[in-house]
């Protein structure tokens, strides 16, 4: 929502006494949002100019928006050209919702032109010859070639859009209309910020709900295999009882099964390439594998149902959450592996070099460090890891060294160990395999042989883990990657 022509005219009239003030400070808070601190005969004031999409406006400000982490290029230009300049006038040149701030300075006059035209607004620094010196955002006009070095061409004038009746002046304020306008836009920006913050959390939460439901479907399919496993056990039992009657190389055998209703004949399919005993053992192995999997499936399904319930509860709470509640919801979402990705600022050249590892966090809150490369693996294992920490690696594969940090005297819990093992498999040549093998031992049992290749170590007292990769666990870990530790 932008100011109308009549509202802009009222504000220009209210701000007219600022003429004669000098620019004390300039700040660019967003690409097209500028504040000017003015000092003059009528007192100090802060003037806000915004050409942000649908938030275009001009008014005296009692509150300054937050600044970006790094200064924008337009701020550098404005500070160089306008600091100390005298504000000669605030005008509406007659074009469509355009305001011009005229400045006088020893180097020659300048104008800060604000096109307050809704979605296509922009700010321009124009010299005395009418040439554009700088602009806040890229040119959004399809009819005008608005670029630095080109003449500034105002938009076509259009009929006024009615008298201003939306903002009731605030009694007793130094700038009554400005204060009403500022309050309105602050509420509007807060509503938009709240909607954007909710949306930022809602999308990964919805994706997590969908993942959990798909996981439950897959687990239900695995559970449906259990009755077939019982048939394998029954066939193996019958074969065991009748091994002496089975000919080697037979493709099937008919045996007698004794039931509560009496005896009945059962035909069993066999693999002719196997001995009768090997056929029996194959059936028992298949039964045990599915039966053992069934217990894991039920445990995993309960875990997924719990996480799904918690995620759905967060999603329901999000719709009515205020800004001060959202950080708590994001922490809970991160614990569930359903938080948005953290956008990291690019490293500056003058900063310290990156740590040799990536950092993650287990469900239990323990730190997991993952080497970034062969040389970094050496640094992590030899210099960073402590003797009590757990060291992990994908067996027989090229990959990252992984260290699970442990407080002194503490043993690793099973969930933290599984988290670290998932990362060891993911950051190795075994990535994508359903059941990679991971070895682990205490870091004190890992040795770097002098003269060996980067990343090459020897270890002892290791244990092996046949890992069953859980995609949801891996997703939670990767989404929760932390910044570098100091």
């Amino acid at each position: 929502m932008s100011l109308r022509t009549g509202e802009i005219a009222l504000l220009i009239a209210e701000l007219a006494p600022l003429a004669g003030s000098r620019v004390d400070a300039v700040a660019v808070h967003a690409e097209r949002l500028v504040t000017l601190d003015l000092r003059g005969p009528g007192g100090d004031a802060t003037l806000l100019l915004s050409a942000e999409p649908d938030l275009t406006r001009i008014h005296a400000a009692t509150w300054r928006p937050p600044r970006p982490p790094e200064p924008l290029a337009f701020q550098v230009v404005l500070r160089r050209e306008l600091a100390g300049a005298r504000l000669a006038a605030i005008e509406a040149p007659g074009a469509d919702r355009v305001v011009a701030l005229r400045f006088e300075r020893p180097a020659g006059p300048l104008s800060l032109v604000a096109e307050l035209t809704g979605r296509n607004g922009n700010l321009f620094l124009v010299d005395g010859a009418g040439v554009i010196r700088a602009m806040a955002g890229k040119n959004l006009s399809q009819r005008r070639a608005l670029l630095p070095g080109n003449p500034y061409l105002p938009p076509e004038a259009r009929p006024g859009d009615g008298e201003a009746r939306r903002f009731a002046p605030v009694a007793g304020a130094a700038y009554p209309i400005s204060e009403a306008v500022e309050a309105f836009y602050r509420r509007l920006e807060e509503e938009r910020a709240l909607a954007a913050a909710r949306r930022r959390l809602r999308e990964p939460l919805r994706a997590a709900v969908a993942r959990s439901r798909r996981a439950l479907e897959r687990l239900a399919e695995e559970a449906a295999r259990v009755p077939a496993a019982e048939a394998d056990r029954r066939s193996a039992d019958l074969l065991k009882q009748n091994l002496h009657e089975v000919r080697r190389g037979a493709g099937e055998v008919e045996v007698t099964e004794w039931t509560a209703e009496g005896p009945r004949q059962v035909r069993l399919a066999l693999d002719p390439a196997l001995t009768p005993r090997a056929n029996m053992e194959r059936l028992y192995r298949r039964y045990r594998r599915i039966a053992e999997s069934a217990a894991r499936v039920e445990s995993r399904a309960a875990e997924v149902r719990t996480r799904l319930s918690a995620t759905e509860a967060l999603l329901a709470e999000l719709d009515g959450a205020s800004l001060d509640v959202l950080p708590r919801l994001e922490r809970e979402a991160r614990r569930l592996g359903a938080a948005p990705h953290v956008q990291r600022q690019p490293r500056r050249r003058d900063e310290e070099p990156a740590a040799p590892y990536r950092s993650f966090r287990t469900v239990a809150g323990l730190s997991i460090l993952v080497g970034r490369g062969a040389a970094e693996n050496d640094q992590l294992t030899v210099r960073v890891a402590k003797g009590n920490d757990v060291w992990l690696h994908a067996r027989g594969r090229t990959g990252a060294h992984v260290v699970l940090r442990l407080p002194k005297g503490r043993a690793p819990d099973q969930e933290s160990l599984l988290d670290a093992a998932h990362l060891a498999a993911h950051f190795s040549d075994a990535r994508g395999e359903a059941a990679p093998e991971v070895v682990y031992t205490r870091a004190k049992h890992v040795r770097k042989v002098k003269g060996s290749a980067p990343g090459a170590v020897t270890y002892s007292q290791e244990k092996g883990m046949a890992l069953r990769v859980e995609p949801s666990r891996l997703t939670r870990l990767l989404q929760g990657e932390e910044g570098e530790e100091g």
Side-chain angles (χ1 to χ4, degrees), residues 309-389:
S309 176
T311 307
E312 288 176 331
L314 273 183
L315 203 50
E317 187 179 355
L318 180 63
D319 289 333
S322 59
L323 273 174
D324 58 340
V325 172
L326 292 180
R328 174 181 64 81
L329 297 186
E330 182 167 350
R331 287 194 299 272
E332 293 181 18
R334 198 165 299 284
R335 180 178 59 82
L336 294 169
H341 289 289
V342 177
Q343 297 294 328
R344 293 178 176 81
Q345 293 293 328
R347 179 173 296 278
R348 291 173 50 171
R349 292 182 180 178
D350 57 351
E351 291 179 348
E352 294 180 1
Y357 50 78
R358 301 170 182 266
S359 184
F360 302 85
R361 188 74 56 178
T362 73
V363 169
L366 298 177
S367 179
I368 305 174
L369 308 181
V370 179
R372 296 180 182 272
E376 291 83 355
N377 282 340
D378 285 346
Q379 293 182 55
L380 173 60
T381 298
V382 176
R383 299 180 184 176
V384 177
K386 301 185 184 302
N388 189 54
D389 294 341

Side-chain angles (χ1 to χ4, degrees), residues 17-22 38-45 174-175:
L18 292 174
S21 300
R22 295 200 176 273
L38 304 174
R39 292 183 181 275
D44 299 346
Y175 299 93

Side-chain angles (χ1 to χ4, degrees), residues 143-193:
R143 298 181 179 180
R144 298 175 292 155
L146 300 176
L147 295 169
N150 286 0
Y152 171 72
L153 301 174
E156 294 180 4
R158 70 171 196 172
D161 45 16
E163 294 184 3
R165 298 294 183 194
R166 294 184 299 175
F167 303 105
V170 177
Y175 299 93
I177 302 173
S178 288
E179 192 150 330
V181 170
E182 180 180 43
F184 172 81
Y185 278 99
R186 281 198 67 182
R187 285 194 301 271
L188 185 59
E189 288 178 326
E190 287 171 359
E191 289 169 3
R192 291 189 177 188

Side-chain angles (χ1 to χ4, degrees), residues 6-20:
E7 293 163 346
I8 292 173
L10 287 176
L11 284 161
I12 289 176
E14 179 179 82
L15 299 171
L18 292 174

Side-chain angles (χ1 to χ4, degrees), residues 54-73:
D54 292 329
L55 295 170
T56 53
R57 63 198 191 273
I58 179 174
H59 58 79
T62 60
W63 173 83
R64 291 177 178 81
R67 298 188 188 183
E70 297 291 334
L72 299 175

